[in-house]
Amino acid sequence: MKPDCVVLVTGAARRVGAEVARHLHALGCSVVLHYRHSADDANRLAASLNAVRENSALTLAADLSSAHECARMVTAAAHWKNRLDALVNNASSFYRTPIGSIDERHWSELVDGNLKAAVFVSQAAVPWLRLRGGAIVNVCDVHTERPLPQFSVYTAAKAGIVALTRALALELAPQVRVNAVSPGSLDWPEQPVFSDEERRAGEAAIPLGRLGTGHDIARAIEFLLFGNDYVTGHVLNVDGGASLVSHWIEPR
């Protein structure tokens, strides 16, 4: 697969998803930018990309907790240029769920926003991807290997994405390759998920000495989409070596 293709990126309005979309666009891809609430951010990003190359970016709103919405979004993305070559399942929900406080709303938000979204978007995309010999890259998390305390529901959802990646790689071969990128600590989320002390400990625990960036993730996705068509079912850690060290966060 060459980078003159159509790629759907979920959760593409801001942060990592936006950086992935920018990077793939710079390689020559046309990009479909999914968003849920961040319409202004998504539309600004699309406008900036279309200013570089006309009709090369499209925005689509969808609530990916709904299987119907997943299918509707993929159909609209594929009909834009009558093709879909690649899918990046990046959309995610992330927050603490200390045991004893978990309720069904937390379960639904975190499992639906991560695992369910990846399952049903992928399912809708597969017929289009098979036609193009395409690829899927899922975004999971290195903390499925070394879980963070108090994030059990999020961790379970992301672990499900790792399993989904490997299962789909077998089921969809040889027409469609399926891999995953597993980020470590990236630029800290805007919402106060971690304390200042936890952030300092997290940064100190990274062997390469810095937080990851959206660009680090985007380059890894580029490799899995275009760099080697003999790789499938692989989970690529992009974490500065953090998964090699012990926990940096303590329960509180």
Side-chain angles (χ1 to χ4, degrees), residues 14 23 28 34 40 46 52 87-89 102 111 121-122 136 142 154 163 209 232:
R14 303 169 62 248
H23 186 75
H34 157 263
D40 290 345
V52 173
L87 165 64
V88 179
N89 281 312
I102 300 168
V111 175
V121 174
S122 296
I136 298 171
V142 295
Y154 168 81
T232 197

Side-chain angles (χ1 to χ4, degrees), residues 1-225:
M1 184 170 60
K2 297 179 180 179
D4 57 340
C5 60
V6 177
V7 183
L8 168 59
V9 182
T10 67
R14 303 169 62 248
R15 292 177 55 79
V16 172
E19 187 60 35
V20 170
R22 287 189 196 95
H23 186 75
L24 296 178
H25 184 269
L27 296 174
C29 299
S30 294
V31 291
V32 181
L33 313 174
H34 157 263
Y35 68 93
R36 182 177 181 184
H37 297 304
S38 303
D40 290 345
D41 292 313
N43 289 330
R44 277 194 295 269
L45 176 56
S48 68
L49 299 179
N50 284 324
V52 173
R53 198 166 65 248
E54 187 176 359
N55 195 35
S56 60
L58 173 71
T59 61
L60 291 175
D63 178 355
L64 301 187
S65 66
S66 161
H68 174 76
E69 282 284 286
C70 292
R72 179 194 61 78
M73 176 195 66
V74 170
T75 298
H79 284 171
W80 177 39
K81 294 181 181 285
N82 201 34
R83 62 189 284 190
L84 184 63
D85 301 84
L87 165 64
V88 179
N89 281 312
N90 167 75
S92 180
S93 301
F94 174 68
Y95 55 81
R96 290 179 191 264
T97 52
I99 199 70
S101 71
I102 300 168
D103 60 27
E104 288 184 301
R105 178 182 64 84
H106 299 141
W107 177 264
S108 295
E109 287 180 351
L110 289 167
V111 175
D112 290 359
N114 289 282
L115 180 56
K116 182 179 179 181
V119 169
F120 284 98
V121 174
S122 296
Q123 177 171 264
V126 162
W128 295 93
L129 297 175
R130 280 180 167 147
L131 291 173
R132 305 295 302 180
I136 298 171
V137 176
N138 298 317
V139 179
C140 49
D141 195 305
V142 295
H143 293 112
T144 59
E145 300 174 18
R146 293 178 176 272
L148 297 177
Q150 303 187 358
F151 289 86
S152 56
V153 178
Y154 168 81
T155 302
K158 287 297 192 182
I161 291 178
V162 172
L164 176 70
T165 298
R166 292 168 176 156
L168 289 184
L170 288 174
E171 184 171 351
L172 301 181
Q175 296 95 341
V176 178
R177 295 181 303 106
V178 186
N179 293 288
V181 168
S182 191
S185 295
L186 303 176
D187 295 331
W188 296 111
E190 295 165 0
Q191 65 271 31
V193 177
F194 299 109
S195 68
D196 290 343
E197 182 180 4
E198 288 168 341
R199 292 185 184 202
R200 287 193 294 271
E203 293 180 26
I206 300 171
L208 290 186
R210 67 170 177 85
L211 291 175
T213 66
H215 187 59
D216 295 319
I217 305 307
R219 287 186 295 155
I221 290 172
E222 175 192 352
F223 168 74
L224 292 173
L225 289 179

